[in-house]
Amino acid sequence: MKKVAFYTLGCKLNYSETSTIGRIFQERGFEKVEFTDKPDIYVINTCSVTDNADKKCRKIVKEAQKHSPDAFITIVGCYAQLKPKEISEIPGVDAVLGAAEKFQLVDILETFEKKDKAQVYASPISKANTFHNSYSFGDRTRTFLKVQDGCDYSCSFCTIPLARGNSRSDSISNVVRSAEEIAESGVKEIVLTGVNTGDFGLQNGKRVESFFELVQALDKVEGINRFRISSIEPNLLKDEIIEFVSQSQRFMPHFHVPLQSGSNKILKLMRRRYQRELYADRVAKIKSLMPHCCIGVDVIVGFPGETEEDFLETYNFLNELDVSYLHVFPYSERENTLAPDMEGKVSIKDRNRRADMLRILSEKKKRHFYEQNIGKEFTVLFEDDVKDGKMEGWTENYVRVVAKYDPVLVNETKHVRLTQLDAEGLMEAEETFQEVLRH
Ligand code: SF4
């Protein structure tokens, strides 16, 4: 039996796809092993958003060669789609597969025999127009379920549409079937993932279903206690979705909504499809119905044309907004996008300084959000990891709770009262000894 090992760079979508490719290998008689277990084949799933994608890819190839010098090394993923030729020239790489080919990897490479030169199978991105159902397994507690792929938007900083193609989705009936399968395996939480998740519903270029319909259908799936929406564009986060989540027992009070900039001038240059007023309105709507809801925000700083004034506009906007944490990214140039040719390049030093300022703000926001929840009761879904005799889990509204390790608690939801923050900023809690059936 041939052994195969995987390495994933990038987002949740990549993790769910690596997992699915892993299952395809297993169904075909391969044994899935750890990276260091001398596998016969390596599959490295790359990302184009990661800085230094090329450097990282080279490093992992080198590591792979160190652990298993004769292994067949295959590169897939967004970076493989964008730069197949460059990757094929990395010493040690045996095959490169693009977005349309990655799920056919076992059929295409068949014998995994090394050739003189790396084999490249990367069709133009327009050929990546089918949807491949994927979900991650491994962690018993939560699964990332891919419901949508690709993006039809054209944000001026983003290469994802070039690496993943047009927006396309699974059908609601398929997603429900996957959720039921996941429930049968004992997993309690599903994170709905996609490139532009809220755009769910396009099949072969036609809008046949909607994200709201998907949310309603999944809410009825027995056996899954918790659903989270990984990220949703503010313009697609409609009132009906917020209202439904506020009433649902299964959809968690937690949204991650990319803002990218708090300056309307910069939002326009970024080609985003909303202005800051719409974002503020979405946050107000969420908070009016779910005051305890956690809201995460993505922000990019140092976009071309962002003056110090524009940045301060973003800073002040976020400072006043009732959000819980920020994911901050200093702007980074990507080939084949519009932004690098725009005027007003911001120095790397200023990009990093602005990012640091927002990261400090994020810490303050998070602490404030955590403190607001002290004394309140929630349920926590405890995870499998044990560190220094302690285990951790999330509340419904995404507060990280730490507790003394108890094997009985793993993958169980427990009703707790949040008590205080520990030195590392994690929440401590006391059990309220009340069995909670649904969440
Ligand atoms: S919405 Fe914009 S940033 Fe997000 S994937 Fe699409 S093009 Fe990229």
Side-chain angles (χ1 to χ4, degrees):
M1 194 191 269
K2 279 198 169 167
K3 297 195 283 184
V4 56
F6 296 87
Y7 193 93
T8 309
L9 288 161
C11 63
K12 292 166 185 165
L13 213 60
N14 265 14
Y15 280 89
S16 72
E17 291 182 346
T18 304
S19 235
T20 297
I21 297 172
R23 283 196 294 281
I24 297 173
F25 268 95
Q26 284 171 312
E27 281 160 16
R28 304 290 280 271
F30 292 80
E31 185 192 355
K32 200 170 151 193
V33 297
E34 295 295 318
F35 196 84
T36 49
D37 285 347
K38 246 187 149 298
D40 305 295
I41 303 158
Y42 279 105
V43 178
I44 301 167
N45 195 357
T46 60
C47 167
S48 60
V49 179
T50 328
D51 270 333
N52 304 319
D54 176 63
K55 243 201 201 150
K56 281 192 181 143
C57 188
R58 279 172 199 274
K59 197 164 170 230
I60 297 155
V61 171
K62 260 199 188 149
E63 279 295 304
Q65 285 180 304
K66 221 165 70 192
H67 293 292
S68 187
D70 300 322
F72 188 99
I73 301 180
T74 316
I75 314 288
V76 298
C78 294
Y79 190 53
Q81 175 66 39
L82 290 178
K83 302 267 174 175
K85 195 169 169 296
E86 276 91 330
I87 295 177
S88 71
E89 283 157 10
I90 297 177
V93 170
D94 294 298
V96 184
L97 278 82
E101 291 84 8
K102 62 188 166 196
F103 292 99
Q104 273 83 51
L105 200 160
V106 183
D107 287 323
I108 292 175
L109 298 173
E110 265 179 319
T111 54
F112 292 91
E113 224 171 276
K114 284 176 173 281
K115 306 234 164 100
D116 295 345
K117 267 169 71 189
Q119 307 167 54
V120 179
Y121 302 91
S123 325
I125 192 61
S126 55
K127 290 269 184 308
N129 46 19
T130 46
F131 183 86
H132 287 272
N133 157 290
S134 301
Y135 54 84
S136 65
F137 254 139
D139 174 349
R140 288 198 284 146
T141 315
R142 60 156 55 170
T143 283
F144 298 108
L145 171 60
K146 181 175 115 179
V147 299
Q148 184 275 344
D149 200 349
C151 184
D152 292 343
Y153 289 14
S154 49
C155 302
S156 57
F157 53 82
C158 181
T159 52
I160 290 178
L162 295 172
R164 286 197 166 264
N166 284 340
S167 179
R168 56 205 186 272
S169 312
D170 210 345
S171 65
I172 291 179
S173 56
N174 270 347
V175 178
V176 167
R177 207 170 310 132
S178 299
E180 286 166 349
E181 249 170 61
I182 293 167
E184 271 168 34
S185 75
V187 169
K188 302 267 169 69
E189 179 171 317
I190 291 181
V191 183
L192 303 179
T193 48
V195 169
N196 189 342
T197 314
D199 194 38
F200 176 91
L202 283 167
Q203 289 172 27
N204 301 318
K206 282 204 188 94
R207 189 161 300 283
V208 287
E209 293 174 323
S210 76
F211 186 64
F212 181 46
E213 287 163 350
L214 174 71
V215 166
Q216 288 171 293
L218 286 172
D219 198 55
K220 299 190 191 98
V221 174
E222 292 293 332
I224 296 296
N225 297 14
R226 295 177 160 196
F227 285 98
R228 290 185 200 273
I229 302 162
S230 65
S231 175
I232 184 163
E233 291 287 303
N235 48 305
L236 298 176
L237 181 54
K238 304 286 184 211
D239 280 356
E240 56 197 15
I241 299 173
I242 301 172
E243 283 159 13
F244 188 84
V245 169
S246 75
Q247 298 295 320
S248 166
Q249 290 293 303
R250 291 198 168 101
F251 273 83
M252 295 294 104
H254 173 203
F255 289 102
H256 193 92
V257 191
L259 167 68
Q260 311 305 21
S261 174
S263 146
N264 282 342
K265 175 189 118 185
I266 299 297
L267 285 173
K268 211 161 167 213
L269 288 171
M270 287 177 163
R271 296 187 155 207
R272 303 286 291 165
R273 299 196 176 192
Y274 53 87
Q275 298 269 280
R276 60 190 241 147
E277 290 74 16
L278 179 126
Y279 195 96
D281 178 67
R282 297 297 73 202
V283 171
K285 174 80 186 176
I286 294 170
K287 286 288 177 175
S288 71
L289 295 176
M290 294 168 273
H292 61 302
C293 187
C294 179
I295 305 176
V297 189
D298 287 338
V299 205
I300 297 173
V301 289
F303 187 81
E306 185 188 74
T307 61
E308 200 60 23
E309 249 176 30
D310 299 328
F311 166 68
L312 288 176
E313 213 186 310
T314 295
Y315 186 95
N316 292 330
F317 181 67
L318 284 166
N319 194 21
E320 278 156 32
L321 212 57
D322 194 358
V323 293
S324 325
Y325 64 89
L326 316 174
H327 283 170
V328 185
F329 305 90
Y331 168 72
S332 164
E333 284 82 358
R334 300 278 175 242
E335 266 178 57
N336 299 318
T337 57
L338 294 170
D341 296 328
M342 291 180 178
E343 282 171 12
K345 205 172 157 74
V346 178
S347 71
I348 301 284
K349 201 171 141 230
D350 280 337
R351 293 182 206 180
N352 290 335
R353 178 180 49 81
R354 290 174 192 177
D356 285 344
M357 281 174 72
L358 282 186
R359 286 189 185 121
I360 294 168
L361 179 64
S362 176
E363 276 308 309
K364 281 193 202 154
K365 292 251 167 213
K366 191 174 145 198
R367 205 177 168 88
H368 178 64
F369 176 66
Y370 273 29
E371 280 168 354
Q372 281 178 328
N373 286 291
I374 291 178
K376 296 190 181 146
E377 291 184 16
F378 293 96
T379 57
V380 178
L381 176 56
F382 282 103
E383 295 163 9
D384 216 347
D385 268 1
V386 193
K387 273 183 242 141
D388 306 326
K390 293 195 167 161
M391 65 196 310
E392 294 177 11
W394 299 106
T395 61
E396 295 93 326
N397 62 346
Y398 217 55
V399 172
R400 194 74 173 151
V401 172
V402 63
K404 200 165 148 261
Y405 176 65
D406 177 351
V408 170
L409 289 183
V410 171
N411 203 22
E412 291 297 326
T413 36
K414 280 286 151 201
H415 205 246
V416 300
R417 183 178 297 108
L418 306 184
T419 52
Q420 60 177 6
L421 291 174
D422 73 5
E424 284 161 37
L426 294 176
M427 186 65 83
E428 293 179 350
E430 60 190 16
E431 203 177 335
T432 51
F433 299 104
Q434 186 185 327
E435 274 311 316
V436 173
L437 296 175
R438 288 191 77 199
H439 73 126

